[in-house]
Amino acid sequence: MAEVESLCDIVIFGGHGDLAFRKLLPALYHLSSNGYLDQKSRIITATRVEMSLEKHSNLVKEKLKEFLKDDTFDETKFKHFKEQLEVVIIDFSDDNSYQGLSELLKSEPQRERVNYLSTAPDFFGTICKSLSQWDLITAQSRVVLEKPIGRDLESSRVINEGVLKYFEESQIYRIDHYLGKDTVQNIMALRFSNRFFMPLWDANNIDHIQITVAESVGVEGRWGYYDDYGAMRDMIQNHLMQLLCLVAMEAPCSLDADSVRDEKVKVLRSLRMMTPADIEQKTVRAQYTEGVSGGEAVPAYVDGAPESRTETFAALRVDIDNWRWNGIPFYLRSGKRMRKRNSEIVIQFKAVPHSIFANKGRCISENKLIISLQPKESIQLQLMNKIPGLSEQMHLQPVELELNMPMNTKHKPDAYERLLLDVIRSNPTLFMRLDEVEAAWKWADVILEAWGEDVVPMKKYSAGTDGPTAAIQLIARDGRSWHDE
Ligand code: BG6
């Protein structure tokens, strides 16, 4: 059994939404049944839908059965979990509807409180205001903000200011679920606990870095949200930027939240702002057309959103203007309905200065460190090795040193489990600070504005492929290619 955590009330605003059922409740179920959450802690769903507690519990049970991975639903565990569930009916725009929540929370006035805002961001400020008016914010309260936090710097400021009127920055947890993935955290372990990489991790030894987050799924019924955001706002500005920060940052002086976030923000501030000419040459945006995905014919993106000018794919060359990365490009790409689900970071080292091997005309491949995030979780180091045998000349071949990370337990914790537990433990290291969000928007806004003015034409790619040819040309212009298997 795990160490039991402090008592805590968790309120999920938007608690009958997709994220709550798919991610938050399964994560809390695991935390509770594995002893990470005190059994007296309450999980309070705040929803607009009129529903009795019995009906709500049955719905949660049904959804857990649907969404729990690895077949981990267990009747006995659910019986305990059910005891923790509560439901309150709240219309977020009606301040008077908080009576039920107020009574519930005030019945345990000393408890730590986690308010998880899984609603449209327009409600963030309104909900915080109501919590304050009902006197439900204590020094032990925290608030978790789901992305998207705005569509640009200005709207993100409005949202953040709305929350900051009622909560201190130290009480705000802005979630980016990529930071809760084990492999993503492992980037820090790999870089800062192995001497091996330290002297090689710079512009003298690295040729370039690629970060790919490719999804085979489409928009999955999230048109209303997605068509307003697109790949740049939905993935690049947050998830890929966070990965870039972890790869590029300097060693923090400790693992405490501000030391880590100080280093990440320095990277974001060192991102080279693109000029209009850069945007034309170094960015690609595209939409998928009909094609074949997972062996099935799938419609074009615009079938769900006619007239849409929203990109479902983005690729960019990003430069970081600091001593460590001077002149070293970071190529980022992310798209929906791609050939396969594949998220990885490829660190491509420079070639050896001079080759003494004949190697039958074949070139010596440069070393690569491949950090695979999904679907496989692994770290692979590609090296050159001698082909065994008695041939007169020494011939070489690339070999792979593979570091897999097997887990001994049946259940592999999801990113949301880690992050919810961190909120309960009051550890904000893996959450974005205000200045990080703002620095990322500042950089992205310039590109988004130019795209909005059609400075870069919208390309097309067939669903089920590796994206538009323009993305291949983007990297090929620099004499490089994407790491696609
Ligand atoms: C979310 C995006 O933040 O991340 C989705 O809004 C995307 O569009 C998802 O599908 C990808 O997450 P993961 O963990 O499946 O890679």
Side-chain angles (χ1 to χ4, degrees):
M1 261 309 179
E3 163 198 355
V4 172
E5 297 297 322
S6 55
L7 268 184
C8 153
D9 280 338
I10 301 161
V11 190
I12 307 175
F13 293 86
H16 276 174
D18 192 54
L19 181 80
F21 286 134
R22 247 176 223 280
K23 295 288 184 185
L24 306 181
L25 287 161
L28 290 166
Y29 167 85
H30 281 304
L31 290 178
S32 167
S33 42
N34 292 325
Y36 287 101
L37 197 60
D38 190 292
Q39 287 298 310
K40 289 195 217 79
S41 292
R42 295 178 295 184
I43 297 159
I44 305 165
T45 286
T47 172
R48 258 187 266 218
V49 190
E50 289 277 345
M51 192 171 279
S52 68
L53 179 56
E54 192 53 32
K55 249 185 141 178
H56 168 68
S57 305
N58 289 338
L59 180 63
V60 172
K61 181 175 178 180
E62 212 179 281
K63 296 287 184 183
L64 284 177
K65 283 183 171 169
E66 185 181 346
F67 292 120
L68 276 177
K69 285 191 196 136
D70 321 318
D71 215 9
T72 42
F73 183 82
D74 178 286
E75 283 290 348
T76 319
K77 286 180 179 169
F78 181 74
K79 232 170 100 192
H80 293 296
F81 186 61
K82 188 178 162 185
E83 298 298 309
Q84 298 181 270
L85 299 179
E86 297 282 355
V87 65
V88 288
I89 316 304
I90 296 185
D91 173 352
F92 303 132
S93 50
D94 177 10
D95 202 33
N96 296 319
S97 63
Y98 281 69
Q99 177 83 30
L101 179 64
S102 170
E103 283 168 12
L104 210 51
L105 292 178
K106 285 177 181 164
S107 68
E108 295 288 353
Q110 304 305 329
R111 279 209 188 160
E112 310 217 342
R113 290 175 194 162
V114 172
N115 298 286
Y116 199 115
L117 308 193
S118 174
T119 63
D122 297 349
F123 286 117
F124 290 180
T126 323
I127 293 173
C128 295
K129 184 171 173 214
S130 298
L131 287 174
S132 161
Q133 280 176 349
W134 282 88
D135 206 13
L136 298 176
I137 303 177
T138 64
Q140 284 77 35
S141 293
R142 275 113 40 213
V143 64
V144 186
L145 308 185
E146 248 310 322
K147 75 170 248 287
I149 303 179
R151 294 185 76 256
D152 49 26
L153 179 61
E154 203 184 319
S155 53
S156 88
R157 277 192 174 147
V158 172
I159 294 167
N160 281 310
E161 278 162 15
V163 177
L164 278 160
K165 274 189 207 152
Y166 308 102
F167 286 90
E168 300 290 328
E169 175 64 23
S170 59
Q171 294 175 295
I172 303 177
Y173 290 69
R174 297 179 191 83
I175 218 161
D176 183 313
H177 79 276
Y178 265 60
L179 292 177
K181 291 179 190 276
D182 249 347
T183 23
V184 174
Q185 289 168 53
N186 205 25
I187 298 171
M188 277 208 278
L190 186 77
R191 289 194 54 201
F192 304 129
S193 67
N194 295 296
R195 180 146 196 129
F196 191 61
F197 293 113
M198 191 182 70
L200 301 178
W201 211 264
D202 61 17
N204 294 326
N205 296 288
I206 290 176
D207 176 76
H208 74 279
I209 290 169
Q210 300 183 13
I211 303 178
T212 298
V213 179
E215 295 182 274
S216 52
V217 292
V219 180
E220 310 290 281
R222 293 162 72 224
W223 296 101
Y225 154 75
Y226 192 86
D227 201 51
D228 236 5
Y229 288 83
M232 183 74 176
R233 294 183 171 95
D234 185 48
M235 299 295 290
I236 306 263
Q237 185 269 349
N238 36 72
H239 301 326
L240 278 85
M241 271 301 132
Q242 288 295 322
L243 297 179
L244 178 142
C245 284
L246 293 177
V247 171
M249 71 187 199
E250 298 302 315
C253 56
S254 79
L255 269 187
D256 78 65
D258 277 333
S259 303
V260 173
R261 299 187 297 179
D262 284 349
E263 294 307 330
K264 286 199 290 166
V265 95
K266 277 190 217 160
V267 175
L268 292 166
R269 288 189 183 140
S270 311
L271 293 175
R272 186 181 303 163
M273 286 289 171
M274 290 205 198
T275 63
D278 287 338
I279 295 169
E280 270 183 63
Q281 282 164 24
K282 298 179 186 171
T283 73
V284 172
R285 60 181 185 141
Q287 254 182 0
Y288 64 81
T289 56
E290 60 186 11
V292 178
S293 174
E296 280 182 23
V298 292
Y301 176 74
V302 283
D303 278 15
E307 318 281 316
S308 172
R309 301 291 297 147
T310 301
E311 77 287 351
T312 58
F313 174 98
L316 308 96
R317 173 190 159 134
V318 178
D319 289 90
I320 301 177
D321 286 332
N322 66 16
W323 278 33
R324 184 181 290 274
W325 298 113
N326 182 39
I328 303 305
F330 284 67
Y331 298 99
L332 312 187
R333 68 182 165 157
S334 181
K336 297 222 178 264
R337 280 271 181 254
M338 307 266 295
R339 180 166 59 89
K340 58 176 186 176
R341 181 170 184 239
N342 175 39
S343 300
E344 63 177 22
I345 301 168
V346 178
I347 320 286
Q348 160 105 44
F349 290 91
K350 289 190 169 157
V352 290
H354 164 69
S355 172
I356 55 170
F357 301 100
N359 213 28
K360 270 194 191 151
R362 275 177 288 169
C363 52
I364 296 180
S365 317
E366 293 86 14
N367 299 136
K368 281 192 188 109
L369 177 71
I370 303 169
I371 304 171
S372 303
L373 309 179
Q374 52 200 27
K376 187 171 86 161
E377 294 192 0
S378 70
I379 296 175
Q380 200 186 69
L381 187 57
Q382 294 192 352
L383 305 165
M384 293 304 290
N385 213 356
K386 176 184 177 295
I387 299 176
L390 300 177
S391 65
E392 192 183 344
Q393 282 188 332
M394 204 193 289
H395 296 303
L396 307 183
Q397 67 182 358
V399 289
E400 284 147 12
L401 260 183
E402 191 125 3
L403 264 184
N404 286 317
M405 287 163 284
M407 291 251 334
N408 299 329
T409 50
K410 181 177 172 196
H411 167 63
K412 190 182 148 319
D414 177 75
Y416 277 94
E417 245 173 283
R418 153 103 258 154
L419 295 173
L420 275 164
L421 192 54
D422 281 355
V423 182
I424 294 166
R425 288 171 169 164
S426 295
N427 178 2
T429 308
L430 298 177
F431 296 81
M432 290 181 293
R433 216 169 47 189
L434 180 66
D435 49 359
E436 275 183 81
V437 178
E438 295 200 344
W441 273 126
K442 237 184 229 168
W443 171 83
D445 269 3
V446 178
I447 301 165
L448 284 163
E449 264 167 42
W451 284 5
E453 286 159 15
D454 279 336
V455 167
V456 176
M458 181 72 81
K459 302 286 182 189
K460 301 282 179 193
Y461 63 103
S462 302
T465 64
D466 285 329
T469 41
I472 300 171
Q473 288 156 358
L474 169 89
I475 191 165
R477 272 200 294 275
D478 295 344
R480 302 181 173 105
S481 61
W482 293 105
H483 178 258
D484 283 324
E485 284 174 350

